[in-house]
């Protein structure tokens, strides 16, 4: 069975040293947290995920969910584990104290999510979707709706879902057909079929609150005619007790490549009673206000699964002996050297390690921006943070899940033939994480979001803001000899990004289709730049710690070495990504349909 | 269910126009084939694979193999399909006429294999392994052994396996422990356990001939003490009839990520009777003489599965409507435009298409080199062809399966959420083809083989030979204005390869571990160069056909457009691969184990 070591020291480094969260006095509520509290919480999550969730990961995959008499049964052990999850209060971390939450910042919650995802992605999706439903109602729901649902969603006693997709309407929600008909008393009768509904039905909780996109009778066509409804599995009485079963059901379970432990349902709504969340016809807007958070959650999956895959590949590479180093025998006491002597194995592991640690820091930064957007006492600063979080959302979702998937494939590759066999667990990581490139907006949609909405829509304001931060970082350390290699790597990547951005901006007026053709390479290029920025900051922080006489020299030296590898290995990719954007976009657009 | 259109027109183009196989009068036996014969054979294989094998692909995956009372039962329909496969004579295509084969060249057989692999990779592995066993005995076996086994292996009435791997000995066969003890009459008793044995046991044939690597009592240590044995499931009487069951059995079936329709067995040999194939202690050499062919076979899997995945993704992209083109509505008569208007969908499809068609041409070239090595009447030419085939073996195995896997992941991505669901078939392609990056030598081993054995061992002689062919091609078309863009792309890629080669050669004396660290990027860079070479030849051939007044202008124009895309898209990657080799190899080698 795969092992897992929660990266607690890395969390401390990021929270305390890199992001300085205990000095963020301008953020409401941050004064209530300190390192002791954070350490205790993350240690608690580490214990729960490692002891309870991890042992259910392989068995959950093997057993999967079952649909019996219209009800979904989760794999053995999930129900008990979820009960403990709720009882321990892990569902409540970042939720509003008014409804029983602990009010912790996202920057802490996001690392808790990483550990949950790493140890059992399918299981983690039940509370993950619940949090989405909680947020939708919390931000857009009426007071009555909040009173009705939030406390139970916060505690995790009830769970939630997001019902967007229909068989003919995936990315393009304008095409959706599910109907909502007024049924008096501000109630609506919802009818239609939704597919790919994660956690759509299960036996973990007494009630499930479905957030459903549907059209009102007078709705305009397209996305401007979509409303959001809260539709419970069981109707809720005025006193909060459960009433009759609503007229909705899971009519099928999707058979999937992975995340078998999560129930992906076909949901049938047959005049099911629900209530509006937010204003009529504003459903898509209501969904999208949670997008930055939800997509960060999917990106975290890319990181979490990539990290547990790396940890196991590293153990295997150290323990498995096979062949000898090209430069001669390294471990003469053994019949062969360990896999770790082989250059290509090292390459794969270092690629994973430098991606994971850099991404973890980026995820922390992104979560902190979300916190700043919500909690900063200076409204202008909050707005800036919001713009930065929006800019980086397609990066943390699209770039991170693309590269996280590749990292899992590499980790599997380290195992050779054993990586292809179920019992080692590596192939499950690959199958599970594959979905993260698809759901919550495919990565192609993320790339379009980056070039279309995030870059061009605000005339590059957010990018200019971030570029300023990059330049400031470079200037800040320009005279520090030890920082030169990292700064050079960062500037090289940023130079390619700048030129690629020029191409995008020019194409926007010339032929918008060029932007679409260039978008994926642009997102990957941007992602590498973002990690180069984080690694430069990590290097500066590490050098400062060493200079200050830390006793943990090896920890910081390893960070410096990893930063160096990131710049030379990942950094080497930006030139080609730029070249690809500049030279192939027109060929992509001009290729005639008949020639395919 | 996925569709499949055998690429028969492309085969004709490659065989007749690009490789001119009907004018190869210096190759023994080539005078017996003409376009009519080849077309008829490939059409026959196309029909069999599409009508019989494809319908069993998804069901075979779902059902898998079962081990019941020590015997493996293949999925429903496999037995009947295999019976027809044998009766139709598809097993015999490239085998020696002396034993009932049709004596066709590899260049035809390899395309037959592509269709088999595309439509049902798991099924195709049964005859695939049989062909390996046939070749081992055909090249290295005694006359008695040939008389005993070959006719039945050629017809397919009996099947074969390759028993190499043990749980502790995968890549490093020096560690293997299976023993062979003389048992009189030139017989040996084989004892040991082998794992990951494809087609190890099944119900398709009356007998299975296992080719087993084992150590004789007096064997030297390491790889120089390994011998190869033919060990039948049922002993064969002097009259050719089947005798007693041998003391061997499948004791387990591996649970795998994919290729569920193929029985991957744990094989237990308990004093099983076998005969030497080749000389004592020369087993590894015997296995390796078949390597060029076997690894071409695995590369073909990368191509075949990538191509069927592409075909289906293209159909889906044309039929599925979702969203509108960035440049405005393209299909106003529909509620949305087809996926094919979207730049990133086009990018993925064109990447697949240009990879598949270029690779198909490369596979044809590689197979023709194997034919030349065996059949050329000029011994010097045969030797040259052999050297080229050896040089390109790690490319067609390692580069093609790596990129073929990525192409399948992209094809799956085109389907969005539907790509993750079993019933669409796309996720099976990804799971199935993943093994091709691992078996028959992991792709890391291929990369090492390229830089270590193929490049340095002969002091670059084979590479120099091929570079000469590239230069000749460039010179040949230097004055043709229409060829300039393709020649520029080829020279650009070749320039990066030349510089990267310089790094490898210098590192060899400085620090051999650097070669290992650089090997994967070098293999990818070489692979792109190889395809750029093929695309340049394809472009020249297509331009000539257009100039000659072909009536199929659209076919050749599409080739030219695809060649152009290959150069601008794939060609953009070589700069970064070279940069990665030059700048990150030392960081990979120097990274201390404690810092991981």
């Amino acid at each position: 069975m795969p092992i897992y070591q929660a990266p607690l020291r890395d969390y401390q480094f990021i929270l305390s040293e890199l992001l300085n969260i205990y000095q963020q006095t301008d953020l409401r509520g941050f004064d209530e947290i300190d390192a002791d509290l954070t350490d205790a919480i993350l240690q608690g999550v580490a214990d729960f995920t490692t002891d309870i969730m991890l042992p259910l990961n392989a068995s959950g995959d093997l057993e999967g969910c079952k649909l019996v008499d219209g009800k979904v049964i989760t794999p053995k052990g999930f129900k008990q584990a979820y009960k403990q999850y709720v009882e321990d209060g892990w569902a409540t971390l970042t939720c509003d104290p008014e409804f029983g939450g602990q009010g912790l910042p996202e920057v802490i919650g996001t690392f808790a999510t990483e550990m949950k995802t790493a140890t059992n992605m399918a299981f983690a999706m039940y509370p993950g979707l619940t949090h989405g439903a909680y947020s939708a109602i919390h931000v857009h729901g009426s007071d009555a709706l909040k009173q009705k649902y939030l406390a139970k969603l916060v505690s995790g006693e009830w769970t939630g879902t997001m019902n967007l997709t229909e068989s003919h309407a995936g990315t393009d929600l304008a095409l959706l057909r599910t109907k909502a008909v007024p049924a008096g008393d501000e109630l609506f009768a919802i009818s239609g079929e939704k597919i790919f509904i994660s956690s759509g039905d299960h036996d973990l909780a007494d009630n499930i609150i479905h957030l459903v996109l549907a059209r009102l009778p007078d709705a305009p066509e397209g996305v401007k005619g979509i409303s959001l409804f809260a539709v419970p599995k069981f109707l809720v009485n005025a006193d909060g007790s459960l009433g009759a079963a609503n007229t909705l059901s899971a009519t099928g379970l999707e058979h999937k490549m992975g995340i078998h432990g999560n129930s992906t349902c076909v949901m049938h709504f047959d005049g099911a009673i629900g209530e509006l969340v937010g204003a009529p016809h504003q459903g898509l807007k209501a969904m999208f206000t949670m997008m930055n958070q939800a997509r960060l959650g999917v990106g975290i999956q890319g990181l979490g699964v990539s990290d547990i895959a790396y940890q196991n590949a590293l153990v295997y590479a150290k323990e498995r002996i096979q062949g000898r180093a090209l430069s001669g025998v390294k471990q003469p006491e053994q019949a062969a050297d360990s896999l770790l002597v082989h250059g290509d194995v090292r390459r794969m592991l270092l690629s994973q390690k430098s991606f994971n640690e850099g991404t973890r820091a980026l995820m922390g930064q992104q979560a902190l921006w979300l916190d700043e957007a919500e909690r900063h006492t200076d409204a202008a600063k909050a707005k800036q943070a919001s713009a930065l979080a929006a800019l980086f959302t397609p990066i943390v979702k699209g770039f991170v899940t693309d590269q996280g998937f590749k990292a899992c494939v590499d980790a599997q590759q380290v195992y050779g033939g054993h990586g292809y066999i179920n019992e080692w667990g590596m192939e499950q990581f690959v199958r599970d994480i594959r979905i993260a490139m698809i759901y919550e907006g495919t990565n192609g949609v993320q790339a379009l979001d980056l070039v279309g909405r995030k870059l061009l829509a605000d005339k590059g304001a957010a990018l200019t803001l971030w570029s300023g931060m990059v330049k400031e970082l470079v200037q800040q350390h320009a005279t520090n000899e030890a920082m030169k290699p990292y700064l050079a790597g960062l500037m090289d990547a940023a130079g390619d990004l700048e030129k690629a951005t020029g191409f995008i901006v020019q194409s926007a007026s010339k032929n918008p289709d060029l932007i679409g053709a260039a978008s994926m390479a642009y997102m990957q290029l941007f992602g590498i730049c973002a990690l180069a920025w984080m690694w430069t900051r990590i290097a500066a922080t590490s050098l400062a710690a060493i200079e200050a006489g830390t006793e943990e020299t090896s920890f910081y030296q390893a960070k410096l070495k990893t930063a160096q590898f990131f710049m030379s290995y990942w950094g080497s990719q930006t030139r080609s990504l730029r070249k690809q954007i500049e030279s192939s976009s027109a060929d992509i657009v001009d290729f005639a349909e008949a020639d395919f």
Side-chain angles (χ1 to χ4, degrees), chain A residues 39 63 79 105 120 167 179 188 293 355 437 533 549:
Chain A
D39 286 354
E63 190 183 336
K79 196 169 173 173
N120 196 325
S167 63
K179 283 186 181 139
F188 296 85
Q293 201 179 55
F355 168 75
M437 297 159 72
W533 178 55

Side-chain angles (χ1 to χ4, degrees), chain A residues 280-552:
Chain A
H281 317 319
Q282 301 290 316
L284 216 60
K285 205 176 136 197
M287 297 299 295
F288 267 89
T289 54
M290 299 170 306
M291 255 336 153
N292 293 340
Q293 201 179 55
R295 289 181 172 170
L296 170 60
V298 176
I300 285 287
Q301 295 178 332
L303 167 61
V305 181
S306 171
D307 192 51
I308 189 170
Y310 165 72
Q311 291 188 21
N312 284 278
L314 178 60
V315 168
Y316 190 80
K318 285 180 176 172
E319 290 177 357
R320 172 85 170 174
I321 61 167
Q322 207 82 181
R324 293 294 187 185
L326 292 178
S327 56
V329 175
K330 290 284 177 288
Q331 294 157 311
E333 73 285 4
Q334 296 176 169
D337 291 339
S338 75
L339 287 184
L340 200 56
V341 306
H342 300 299
D344 193 54
V345 172
R346 300 183 135 249
R347 179 192 63 78
M348 291 191 283
L349 290 169
L350 283 170
S351 174
Q352 296 161 55
K353 177 184 169 69
S354 61
F355 168 75
N356 292 342
E357 293 180 19
T359 297
R360 186 173 294 125
L362 180 66
M363 292 305 190
Q365 176 63 74
Q366 173 77 353
L368 186 58
W369 278 331
L370 291 176
D371 284 326
E372 288 175 8
E374 201 166 307
R375 296 166 181 252
H376 209 294
T377 51
D378 180 338
K381 291 263 172 70
K383 207 177 155 195
Q384 280 193 349
S386 180
L388 288 165
L391 175 66
F392 275 77
T393 289
I395 307 294
V396 302
K397 196 282 182 182
F399 169 73
V400 170
T401 59
D402 265 359
Q403 301 300 337
F405 172 75
K406 283 182 193 159
C408 289
V409 171
D410 273 351
Q412 180 189 23
Q413 189 73 10
V414 170
Y415 278 71
H418 299 279
Y420 200 66
I421 306 298
N422 300 161
E423 64 180 309
W424 289 87
M426 302 305 285
E427 61 88 37
Q428 184 190 345
F429 295 139
V430 173
R431 286 186 291 104
D432 282 355
I433 201 57
R434 180 67 183 87
I435 189 60
M437 297 159 72
I438 297 172
Y439 62 17
E440 203 71 48
T442 66
N443 285 356
V445 169
Q446 302 303 320
L448 262 191
D449 177 57
L450 177 64
V451 295
R453 289 205 197 94
K454 301 306 165 54
L455 186 62
L456 297 169
D458 76 347
K459 291 185 182 158
L463 179 60
T464 304
L465 185 62
W466 179 64
S467 299
M469 294 165 79
V470 171
K471 279 179 195 132
E472 201 182 296
L473 180 70
V474 172
Q475 280 166 5
Q476 192 185 339
H477 300 285
T479 57
N480 185 345
E481 197 61 33
M483 280 297 292
K484 286 220 163 135
Y486 314 109
L487 296 179
L490 174 59
M491 286 190 290
D492 197 42
D496 282 325
L497 182 64
E498 197 178 329
K499 292 196 184 72
T501 303
F503 178 90
I504 300 284
V505 172
Q506 285 185 344
S507 301
S509 54
K510 216 163 51 184
N511 180 356
D513 285 335
L514 287 170
I515 302 171
S519 59
M520 181 56 73
Y522 186 78
M523 182 171 76
Q524 305 297 340
L525 171 49
F526 204 135
I528 293 172
C529 268
L531 293 193
W533 178 55
M534 293 316 301
W535 272 116
T536 303
R537 293 168 60 186
I538 292 169
T541 307
S542 300
L543 282 169
I546 291 168
E547 209 163 299
T550 175
E551 285 176 9
E552 283 184 289

